[in-house]
Amino acid sequence: ECMSAGASTAAANGPLVQAPAQHSDLGDACQVGSLAPASGSAVLLARRGGCSFKEKAKVASQRGYCGLLVANSRAGKPHPYYGLLEFPDMTAGPAVSQAFTDDGSVSVPGWSISKDSGDALRALLA
């Protein structure tokens, strides 16, 4: 079960689960059927690409995950257009355009991380 986030309370304190991959090192978490249901307050680790960030968050939510980490697929910092940490197609607020609608259907927090960080987390899971 996911925890409520507070000033000093983590949003999730369960295990980190790697999205299964078909042809690469880390899955993209773009389809509900590709993920096992979450156990406890698990956080999902997925690779960038294959679908939108919002779609990944919806899939993670539908399978019961309490958070989502999306590892960049290329080394280095994200393009400056995207910022450093936020998902470019999610606003965490009211709709501001057609591209930023339906955020209310996403009930898990999500973070973008570097490829190196994603690879390091994968290594810890091995």
Side-chain angles (χ1 to χ4, degrees), residues 33-116:
S34 69
L35 295 175
S39 174
S41 58
V43 174
L44 182 65
L45 173 64
R47 179 72 66 205
R48 183 175 179 179
C51 62
S52 70
F53 292 101
K54 187 187 299 185
E55 188 62 30
K56 292 175 192 302
K58 284 182 181 180
V59 167
S61 175
Q62 289 169 359
R63 296 307 276 174
Y65 289 88
C66 292
L68 172 65
L69 295 175
V70 178
N72 208 2
S73 54
R74 290 187 242 161
K77 293 182 180 178
H79 188 279
Y81 172 78
Y82 297 129
L84 297 178
L85 302 173
E86 67 271 6
F87 288 171
D89 64 345
M90 293 178 65
T91 63
V96 293
S97 73
Q98 185 61 30
F100 298 111
T101 59
D102 198 27
D103 281 359
S105 67
V106 178
S107 62
V108 298
W111 299 270
S112 180
I113 61 174
S114 70
K115 181 180 185 313
D116 289 345

